[in-house]
Amino acid sequence: MKYKTPLIKGTILKRYKRFLSDIELADGQIVCAHVPNTGSMKTCWEPGWDVYLTHTDDPKRKLKYTLELTDNGNTLINVNTSLTNKLVHEALEQKKIPELKEFNHIKPEQKIFDSRMDFYLEKDNGDIAYVEVKNVTLLGEDRIALFPDAVSTRGQKHLKDLIKIKQAGHRAVMFYVINREDVDTFAPAAEIDPTYAKLLKDAKSAGVEILAYQSVLTPKEVKLTKKIKVNI
């Protein structure tokens, strides 16, 4: 997925009120940028890191800049969580996910049970699958990507419903997008949310497919590339 406009490089000074950040541009100008990320962003930024922004002239937008990528010196990190589902949608359309390439019909945001799953997929023969997508940016020890970065009751509910979907006879997929390149494997963050970690184990035992794909990030584009090992 290519960025529609060139990204602007800057230095992050601080993040505050969750959705705001102060960024110093190359010319010394300090701007307030929107942070499109509801998470803690732990291990995703520190004062003084290089960052990349998009800019808009839309008169309806109060904040003209949006924080897209941060750079810890080893990897870029995609902190714009609104792009994650778009990234997966593009990969599904382009048949870049081998486990799901046989599904030709893609419908985002499908309500089932108590959740709204990110994707409803259907084959020409009528077989269906539900896919829930999670954005992963938390870095743990030994180059392990972790999720969630805070207790996630919403994520717990999604796992419970994926189990129900599988029990109903459909394919159910928990799909993690690893939006940084300095990791080798994925695992649930059991120390942060032990309930989520247990539910993920239960989901795997019930037959829910657990997939983790890593993205490659540049200031020009973000794209899904390789599948990485999941440790549950």
Side-chain angles (χ1 to χ4, degrees):
M1 183 180 64
K2 295 183 181 297
Y3 290 102
K4 295 180 180 179
T5 59
L7 298 191
I8 301 166
K9 191 174 183 179
T11 301
I12 189 166
L13 304 178
K14 63 178 180 178
R15 180 199 184 198
Y16 54 103
K17 296 181 179 178
R18 182 182 285 188
F19 299 112
L20 302 176
S21 60
D22 286 345
I23 310 294
E24 183 175 358
L25 304 182
D27 62 3
Q29 178 186 6
I30 296 177
V31 300
C32 182
H34 172 60
V35 180
N37 192 312
T38 60
S40 71
M41 284 181 57
K42 184 179 180 181
T43 74
C44 291
W45 82 279
E46 292 289 343
W49 282 16
D50 287 341
V51 296
Y52 292 86
L53 314 172
T54 48
H55 178 267
T56 179
D57 290 320
D58 185 348
K60 297 179 182 179
R61 281 280 304 271
K62 182 177 180 181
L63 296 177
K64 304 301 183 183
Y65 293 89
T66 299
L67 182 62
E68 301 286 350
L69 302 170
T70 61
D71 186 350
N72 68 3
N74 295 316
T75 181
L76 294 174
I77 306 164
N78 175 21
V79 296
N80 186 345
T81 56
S82 70
L83 296 183
T84 304
N85 280 25
K86 296 177 183 178
L87 187 64
V88 174
H89 199 165
E90 179 183 79
L92 288 168
E93 290 181 329
Q94 297 177 355
K95 310 295 184 184
K96 299 293 186 181
I97 304 171
E99 294 87 351
L100 302 172
K101 66 180 181 180
E102 295 179 357
F103 291 92
N104 295 320
H105 307 283
I106 306 167
K107 182 180 179 180
E109 297 292 322
Q110 181 68 27
K111 181 76 169 62
I112 183 170
F113 299 124
D114 294 325
S115 299
R116 187 176 296 276
M117 293 294 159
D118 288 314
F119 294 100
Y120 167 88
L121 308 180
E122 187 173 338
K123 294 181 182 179
D124 291 334
N125 66 2
D127 290 346
I128 65 174
Y130 289 86
V131 181
E132 177 61 23
V133 176
K134 297 298 181 188
N135 180 71
V136 181
T137 55
L138 178 61
L139 174 64
E141 295 180 357
D142 301 320
R143 295 176 60 89
I144 300 175
L146 300 171
F147 183 89
D149 62 5
V151 174
S152 177
T153 54
R154 184 167 179 267
Q156 294 168 16
K157 182 179 68 171
H158 287 149
L159 288 175
K160 291 175 183 177
D161 282 342
L162 284 170
I163 292 172
K164 291 179 184 177
I165 290 168
K166 182 61 182 178
Q167 290 172 342
H170 306 304
R171 283 184 69 180
V173 182
M174 185 64 250
F175 194 99
Y176 296 99
V177 177
I178 317 300
N179 263 317
R180 59 190 304 154
E181 297 182 64
D182 55 353
V183 297
D184 301 315
T185 59
F186 167 81
E191 292 186 1
I192 294 174
D193 192 340
T195 300
Y196 185 91
K198 181 182 182 302
L199 282 169
L200 189 60
K201 288 183 180 180
D202 292 344
K204 182 180 179 181
S205 297
V208 176
E209 298 167 56
I210 315 297
L211 300 177
Y213 272 75
Q214 193 170 39
S215 60
V216 168
L217 305 104
T218 74
K220 292 185 178 181
E221 67 176 334
V222 181
K223 60 182 179 179
L224 285 184
T225 53
K226 64 179 180 179
K227 181 179 176 181
I228 66 173
K229 183 179 179 182
V230 175
N231 295 318
I232 300 177

